[in-house]
Amino acid sequence: MHSKTHSRPPVPILTYHQIAEASPKGAPFRSLSVAPADFQRQMAFLHGLGYHGLSMTALQPYLRGDRVGKVFGITFDDGYLNNLTHALPVLQWYGFSSTCYVVSGLLGQTNSWDAAQGVPPSALMSAAHLRQWVAGRQEVGAHTRHHVRLLALDAVASNAEISLCKEELEYITGTAVNHFCYPFGEFTPEHVEMVRQANYVTATTTRRGRFHRGDAMLELPRVPVLRRTSRPLLWWKLVSQYEDRRRE
């Protein structure tokens, strides 16, 4: 439990998925798509309030407590091509950086892990796209090789998904990949240890909330931004002294 007072303010890490118009009404998980115009307005709103959006690497001094400021992390899960086409220009305009967690074994393909649930396919970035993303001063993180459910795999397969994803993305981008995101938010203490052994610096989860001093760096909570997240609600999530459990 966190104390009511903190020597340093909690740090929010925003979670986005697709930056695209929502799928047709009734489609599963359409709430995970934020319209490009809404994303632009959100970034403009936060920039206007004096906040600065940062990648997981740039956020490190604030998570460690070495620095304090009006900052928030920006993360994108899965590596959708629409992150490059719609989010990157906005991030560059405001001087923000971000981390996109990529599924290394499905580059240039689609979100096939969602097909069984009826989610429409959406293009993922290719290797060339990832290099454009990095050239745009953004960061690549790891999201396993095939967007697997780690709980359904044995230890050998889980470790391969976690460690080889890092190696493949580093080879493709020519940059260090130091940050991991658990697919579906599912993991056990054994998976956390695998992430540690693979030399990741942080790992993010789907647990809702902001980072407080003392939180585990390999089990970081995040703040979800969904299709209907209004700017006032986004602001509340950044500043509220209580972890947001609101259903959106």
Side-chain angles (χ1 to χ4, degrees):
M1 179 181 294
H2 301 301
S3 61
K4 291 183 178 179
T5 59
H6 306 282
S7 58
R8 293 184 175 89
V11 180
I13 302 171
L14 303 186
T15 307
Y16 289 94
H17 286 78
Q18 299 201 54
I19 305 303
E21 298 298 335
S23 302
K25 203 165 185 178
F29 301 119
R30 66 193 302 264
S31 65
L32 297 183
S33 294
V34 173
D38 288 338
F39 179 75
Q40 190 281 328
R41 283 191 285 264
Q42 289 166 1
M43 295 300 104
F45 174 66
L46 296 178
H47 181 269
L49 292 176
Y51 284 92
H52 195 64
L54 299 175
S55 68
M56 292 306 297
T57 292
L59 200 64
Q60 288 306 292
Y62 300 91
L63 298 180
R64 292 194 304 263
D66 298 335
R67 298 186 66 181
V68 176
K70 292 182 72 173
V71 299
F72 61 96
I74 305 176
T75 63
F76 299 92
D77 288 9
D78 304 331
Y80 291 101
L81 179 57
N82 53 53
N83 296 166
L84 178 71
T85 56
H86 294 146
L88 178 59
V90 176
L91 296 170
Q92 291 178 314
W93 178 264
Y94 292 106
F96 291 172
S97 60
S98 69
T99 300
C100 184
Y101 297 113
V102 174
V103 183
S104 64
L106 298 177
L107 298 183
Q109 301 181 43
T110 64
N111 52 325
S112 55
W113 60 88
D114 285 330
Q117 300 184 71
V119 178
S122 186
L124 302 174
M125 282 191 266
S126 66
H129 292 138
L130 286 187
R131 289 189 281 269
Q132 291 178 41
W133 179 258
V134 171
R137 302 179 69 84
Q138 308 303 311
E139 181 172 62
V140 169
H143 205 32
T144 71
R145 298 191 68 231
H146 300 101
H147 203 291
V148 294
R149 291 189 177 275
L150 292 172
L151 300 188
L153 302 181
D154 62 26
V156 172
S158 292
N159 190 61
E161 286 283 340
I162 291 168
S163 60
L164 293 181
C165 182
K166 175 182 173 73
E167 294 178 15
E168 290 171 350
L169 293 175
E170 288 182 337
Y171 177 78
I172 289 166
T173 65
T175 61
V177 174
N178 292 323
H179 308 284
F180 183 79
C181 177
Y182 301 99
F184 306 104
E186 298 176 353
F187 62 96
T188 67
E190 289 72 27
H191 297 126
V192 174
E193 184 56 29
M194 291 176 192
V195 170
R196 190 188 317 279
Q197 291 295 323
N199 294 318
Y200 290 103
V201 176
T202 71
T204 51
T205 71
T206 57
R207 181 166 65 87
R208 294 190 178 197
R210 297 170 300 160
F211 172 86
H212 293 77
R213 188 178 184 186
D215 282 349
M217 286 291 189
L218 297 182
E219 299 179 49
L220 295 174
R222 291 187 291 173
V223 176
V225 185
L226 306 177
R227 185 174 70 90
R228 291 184 177 274
T229 301
S230 65
R231 280 168 285 174
L233 177 56
L234 181 58
W235 172 82
W236 175 250
K237 288 183 175 188
L238 263 64
V239 304
S240 171
Q241 292 302 306
Y242 301 94
E243 295 188 354
D244 181 33
R245 304 295 179 183
R246 182 192 299 268
R247 289 182 179 271
E248 297 186 64

